[in-house]
Amino acid sequence: MGYSKRAFIGISWMSGFRVVSRVIATGRGILLARILTPAQFGVFGIASVILSFLEILTETGINVFLIQEKSNIDKFVSSAWLVSILRGAFICLVLIIASPFIINFFNMPDLHRFLFLISLVPLIRGFINPAIVKYQKELEFKKEFWLRIAIYIFDSAISIAFALILRDAIGFVWGLIAGAILEVILSFILFKPRPEVKFEFNFLKLIINRGKWVTAYGIFNYIAKEGDSIVVAKLLGATSVGIYKMGYSLSTLPISEISDVVNKVVFPVYSKISEDKERLLKAFTKTLLAVSVPIVILSLIIFFLPRIFFEILLTPKWGDVVIILKILVVYGMLRGISGLSSSLFLALGKQNFVAGMTFARFFILAVTIVPLTASFGIVGASFSALLSALLELPLIGFYILRVFKSLN
């Protein structure tokens, strides 16, 4: 079977997962939005943002390395597992130690219990068998679909159950913990080899050295993606960040889901044909055109949805979401299309390109987010995000030209 057909099948399966998971997530969000307040969503949102930041800050690029590797990856599994365990333990410890400072910074006393509980998530995830990446590496996306959907449904069911019983957003954290435990168990049941705790300096050095640009990309991408939420939380409080994150999710996630699905599938495909630049250019061009059309159509649908739809969906207490919807949907459209270049650069081992383009977006956000948010509230934060996406585009175009200049 050719790579184009395998990629199409992979996109179909991963799209199926995204559709199912987002339907569940939307239903879960709407259900709990009727029970919980924007402030409760905001506190959980900040806890998850802090966790994401520490995970990105310590990202080793193990999965990218294993997918890029042309030889058998079994010899790297134990070393990758050791790195993953140490990373998870480190994140857990930092979250616990830093929690008083984080609580004081955001002035959210209720945040402490979220931080202590969510610190268990990276600790548990650290024990996932790195061989789990084989489904993606070998383009076995049907199996990847059933694995991910099982974990996601379990996570969501636990989240909803605990949130309904406790009437508290802490239920989301219990869902994350449950999902992490299930993923660890399945990774050892379904994948071989099973890792052993052993220290192999050369492999560790190779993994860490290859992943340094992935770490840099992750840090810049995180700040560019979540920096607006952090500033909104600091300047405007828990209620405003809850509304902002809800608006962000409704307007950008449906669009970014398309891009994320395609990137996950085409990255291993691009890696396999990376030495044939002409073939790679054709594959990238086809992907770009095929994905841009549905992204633009979906963006227009969200942009022109009537205000009453969201008021019925979320109840009047979430009415301010509509104010930022149109700005963020344009941001989501630009990110959905421009983000398709990331898988191309990673497949070619150009992690520095991915880090560079993300730094550009981070820089614009860093310069504009505070003054715009202070002056215009969540509307200003939305415009800051949009500016960062717009000004990233020229650099992405430059990098693409550099990659394919030898074909001219």
Side-chain angles (χ1 to χ4, degrees):
M1 187 185 298
Y3 287 130
S4 295
K5 188 173 181 179
R6 294 177 74 181
F8 176 77
I9 292 172
I11 290 172
S12 300
W13 278 108
M14 288 298 95
S15 296
F17 167 70
R18 294 289 184 168
V19 169
V20 173
S21 65
R22 285 308 145 201
V23 167
I24 294 172
T26 301
R28 178 184 66 183
I30 293 170
L31 172 65
L32 297 181
R34 292 179 169 272
I35 299 170
L36 306 176
T37 66
Q40 288 176 305
F41 270 86
V43 174
F44 168 70
I46 292 301
S48 60
V49 161
I50 298 300
L51 172 61
S52 297
F53 175 66
L54 290 174
E55 288 182 327
I56 291 299
L57 193 64
T58 58
E59 178 59 64
T60 57
I62 288 173
N63 286 354
V64 172
F65 166 79
L66 293 176
I67 292 173
Q68 287 177 333
E69 184 60 33
K70 303 297 184 185
S71 61
N72 193 312
I73 65 170
D74 289 0
K75 60 186 177 182
F76 296 108
V77 166
S78 292
S79 296
W81 193 53
L82 178 59
V83 172
S84 183
I85 292 171
L86 293 174
R87 173 177 174 258
F90 176 75
I91 295 172
C92 176
L93 187 62
V94 170
L95 267 174
I96 293 171
I97 294 173
S99 60
F101 305 99
I102 297 169
I103 293 164
N104 183 62
F105 178 80
F106 289 106
N107 192 27
M108 294 181 186
D110 196 37
L111 191 56
H112 76 279
R113 60 197 182 95
F114 283 83
L115 292 175
F116 276 95
L117 192 58
I118 211 169
S119 69
L120 296 175
V121 175
L123 184 64
I124 297 167
R125 284 176 180 164
F127 288 89
I128 295 171
N129 181 0
I132 199 170
V133 78
K134 284 187 175 182
Y135 279 169
Q136 189 178 352
K137 182 177 176 65
E138 301 304 324
L139 309 182
E140 295 181 340
F141 291 105
K142 180 178 179 179
K143 295 179 180 178
E144 178 84 0
F145 169 86
W146 290 113
L147 173 68
R148 293 297 157 197
I149 207 68
I151 295 169
Y152 193 82
I153 291 174
F154 186 66
D155 175 333
S156 298
I158 297 297
S159 295
I160 292 171
F162 272 81
L164 290 174
I165 293 168
L166 302 174
R167 299 281 166 161
D168 193 328
I170 200 76
F172 287 119
V173 184
W174 284 112
L176 291 175
I177 291 172
I181 292 172
L182 181 60
E183 187 167 2
V184 171
I185 294 170
L186 292 178
S187 74
F188 276 84
I189 293 175
L190 299 176
F191 298 91
K192 293 182 180 180
R194 294 181 182 132
E196 302 172 356
V197 179
K198 59 182 180 180
F199 184 83
E200 298 177 83
F201 180 76
N202 289 334
F203 285 164
L204 287 172
K205 183 179 178 182
L206 181 60
I207 290 170
I208 293 171
N209 184 60
R210 193 92 70 88
K212 61 187 177 184
W213 284 110
V214 176
T215 304
Y217 153 71
I219 293 170
F220 295 143
N221 186 59
Y222 168 85
I223 298 175
K225 192 175 180 180
E226 300 289 356
D228 46 357
S229 296
I230 294 172
V231 172
V232 169
K234 175 63 178 174
L235 296 182
L236 306 177
T239 298
S240 291
V241 77
I243 290 171
Y244 184 79
K245 289 188 75 65
M246 180 64 75
Y248 186 96
S249 296
L250 289 174
S251 57
T252 67
L253 280 183
I255 300 164
S256 63
E257 287 302 317
I258 298 174
S259 180
D260 289 346
V261 165
V262 174
N263 271 328
K264 186 169 185 178
V265 173
V266 299
F267 171 40
V269 173
Y270 288 165
S271 295
K272 292 180 181 295
I273 62 174
S274 59
E275 295 177 358
D276 187 342
K277 288 288 185 68
E278 189 170 344
R279 188 179 181 189
L280 185 61
L281 176 59
K282 289 180 181 178
F284 176 69
T285 303
K286 286 180 180 178
T287 302
L288 188 63
L289 292 173
V291 175
S292 296
V293 173
I295 283 180
V296 170
I297 292 172
L298 184 56
S299 299
L300 291 173
I301 292 172
I302 297 172
F303 189 90
F304 290 109
L305 275 176
R307 178 189 180 97
I308 193 172
F309 176 80
F310 289 97
E311 289 181 345
I312 292 173
L313 207 60
L314 295 174
T315 74
K317 65 185 176 183
W318 293 92
D320 287 346
V321 165
V322 181
I323 298 172
I324 58 175
L325 186 68
K326 291 189 176 183
I327 305 168
L328 289 176
V329 77
V330 178
Y331 164 80
M333 180 182 68
L334 294 176
R335 287 293 306 126
I337 296 172
S338 63
L340 294 170
S341 60
S342 297
S343 54
L344 170 69
F345 299 146
L346 288 175
L348 291 166
K350 299 289 185 181
Q351 286 93 323
N352 56 324
F353 284 10
V354 181
M357 68 188 234
T358 312
F359 176 77
R361 185 158 44 94
F362 150 75
F363 179 77
I364 300 302
L365 188 77
V367 170
T368 61
I369 184 65
V370 173
L372 286 177
T373 303
S375 300
F376 305 104
I378 57 176
V379 174
S382 303
F383 272 116
S384 178
L386 177 57
L387 282 172
S388 70
L390 278 169
L391 296 177
E392 179 191 29
L393 293 175
L395 185 60
I396 293 175
F398 172 73
Y399 283 150
I400 292 174
L401 289 175
R402 281 192 60 181
V403 165
F404 294 114
K405 65 179 180 181
S406 61
L407 295 178
N408 295 334

